[in-house]
């Protein structure tokens, strides 16, 4: 029983010692041409997405949706007014009233 206890303690100490022992990392290998190109393209893509997002936020800041809606409503109102006037004129040309 004593031998088993001694062996267990020795294995535990070796395991703890092995966990704390770190192997020094080797220097990172140089990246290949394809990896460099891919990383460059990714960075260009990220920059373009960030720029586009900035433009979208700027446009939302101008509230162009509301301005376009108001412009549409004003245009529809003006066109409907002139359409009514045109219909009245056309009716009076086709069906003239006698003033007698």
């Amino acid at each position: 029983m004593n031998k088993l206890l001694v062996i267990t303690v020795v294995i535990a100490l070796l395991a703890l010692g092995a966990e704390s022992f770190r192997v020094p990392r080797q220097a990172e290998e140089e990246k290949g041409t394809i990896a460099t190109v891919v990383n460059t393209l990714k960075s260009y893509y990220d920059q373009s997405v960030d720029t586009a997002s900035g433009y979208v936020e700027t446009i939302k800041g101008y509230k162009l949706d509301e301005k376009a809606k108001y412009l549409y409503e004003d245009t529809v109102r003006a066109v409907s007014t002139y359409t009514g006037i045109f219909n009245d004129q056309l009716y009076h040309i086709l069906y003239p009233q006698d003033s007698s």
Side-chain angles (χ1 to χ4, degrees):
M1 182 77 176
N2 288 338
K3 289 182 182 180
L4 183 59
L5 181 62
V6 171
I7 292 174
T8 305
V9 170
V10 170
I11 291 176
L13 289 176
L14 288 176
L16 290 174
E19 283 182 9
S20 65
F21 179 73
R22 294 188 176 256
V23 177
R25 292 186 179 180
Q26 295 178 353
E28 245 182 71
E29 294 181 18
E30 290 186 25
K31 296 181 181 178
T33 305
I34 294 176
T36 305
V37 170
V38 168
N39 288 337
T40 304
L41 291 175
K42 282 182 183 179
S43 68
Y44 287 154
Y45 175 76
D46 290 338
Q47 288 175 354
S48 63
V49 167
D50 291 342
T51 303
S53 297
Y55 289 155
V56 167
E57 293 301 320
T58 302
I59 290 172
K60 284 182 181 178
Y62 293 148
K63 297 184 180 178
L64 292 178
D65 295 339
E66 292 177 15
K67 291 179 182 177
K69 184 178 90 172
Y70 294 143
L71 180 65
Y72 174 76
E73 290 173 354
D74 292 342
T75 304
V76 167
R77 199 173 308 126
V79 168
S80 64
T81 300
Y82 287 113
T83 302
I85 293 170
F86 179 74
N87 285 338
D88 287 343
Q89 294 293 322
L90 187 63
Y91 177 80
H92 289 292
I93 289 173
L94 293 176
Y95 303 107
Q97 294 181 350
D98 293 330
S99 59
S100 38

